[in-house]
Amino acid sequence: MQKKRVLITDLRTREAQEALRYLNANGYAAFTVPENLRLWREKELESWAETLDSDLYAVIHPAPPLFLSPLEEQTEEFFQKAADEGILSAFCVTKVFAGLFRQLGEGVLIYLNSIHAEKPVGRGSLFSMGCGAVQMLAREVNQDYGTHGVRSFFIQRGISETDPDGRSDISNLYYGVNMRYPERKIPAPDALNGLLAFLLSPAAAPLSGSDLRADGGMTMYYGERITKEQLEEIRRQMLLDNRKEVTILGEE
């Protein structure tokens, strides 16, 4: 039986590299684009895509590099570079391969993106803007191509141990990163492999068009729960302050 082919457009991140290894070891034929191919040049990408066999099944498109610069220091050239490697690349990848999948009658587009689609990074406005635009692009794919057998998914992954240091005086997101995860550690680069494999399967069809927050609980985690001892101390202090008796959830 011929293996389904999966294109990963950029191996810049460890997550993408791990996905390539994992998929090749688990029944898929994963590969990437030539190193000199510019994804933001539609005709260039389209010409290369025409050389592929018709058994292409899915495309995984990672987020662009993290572009950091204060807004007031950004230039038109900087904006163009961020746009080329961000939203324009995603647009061209989508247009070329969603069109191909429509002709084939089936296909999967997975945008392996970032929580910065919704959460500012600090000094990274162009990066966050690009991620947010791709998030909307994934939704539009579902509208325009969903009736032709094309499934699309947008993954908001959290901060990875191999990401560049994005600390700034504007956002505290990159400070104490391991403490921001419920498990008190940053997920390993292969943490999303199982999710990617599921999204490639027909069983994921009901989720098509979805934004999937797959950040290990990072953005929904607000720190350790208060302990019973701390609750009792709060209650004691309130009683000492002659405050009204309080009921603590969980007490008999």
Side-chain angles (χ1 to χ4, degrees), residues 201-251:
S201 72
L207 293 175
S208 186
S210 297
D211 301 333
L212 304 173
R213 183 173 291 149
D215 62 3
M218 177 185 176
T219 53
M220 298 302 293
Y221 184 65
Y222 290 90
E224 284 294 304
R225 295 187 181 190
I226 193 167
T227 65
K228 184 176 181 180
E229 290 73 23
Q230 289 171 319
L231 282 171
E232 291 176 348
E233 177 61 20
I234 291 172
R235 184 171 181 271
R236 187 182 70 82
Q237 287 296 330
M238 293 183 74
L239 291 174
L240 287 176
D241 292 342
N242 295 317
R243 298 184 185 181
K244 185 179 179 180
E245 181 72 29
V246 296
T247 300
I248 300 174
L249 185 66
E251 282 192 341

Side-chain angles (χ1 to χ4, degrees), residues 67-143:
F67 293 93
L68 292 179
S69 174
L71 187 60
E72 66 272 15
E73 295 179 10
Q74 292 169 8
T75 64
E76 190 172 328
E77 292 74 21
F78 188 79
F79 178 92
Q80 188 61 58
K81 179 175 175 59
D84 285 347
E85 298 187 38
I87 181 56
L88 189 54
S89 289
F91 169 78
C92 291
V93 165
T94 299
K95 189 175 178 183
V96 169
F97 291 105
L100 174 62
F101 291 149
R102 176 164 56 187
Q103 294 176 20
L104 297 174
E106 183 182 27
V108 181
L109 281 169
I110 299 175
Y111 303 87
L112 183 55
N113 211 271
S114 166
I115 60 169
H116 295 306
E118 294 184 356
K119 193 172 185 64
V121 60
R123 298 188 183 277
S125 58
L126 291 179
F127 177 72
S128 295
M129 287 163 57
C131 291
V134 175
Q135 182 183 41
M136 184 56 70
L137 178 64
R139 296 168 181 169
E140 293 290 348
V141 169
N142 185 64
Q143 301 301 96

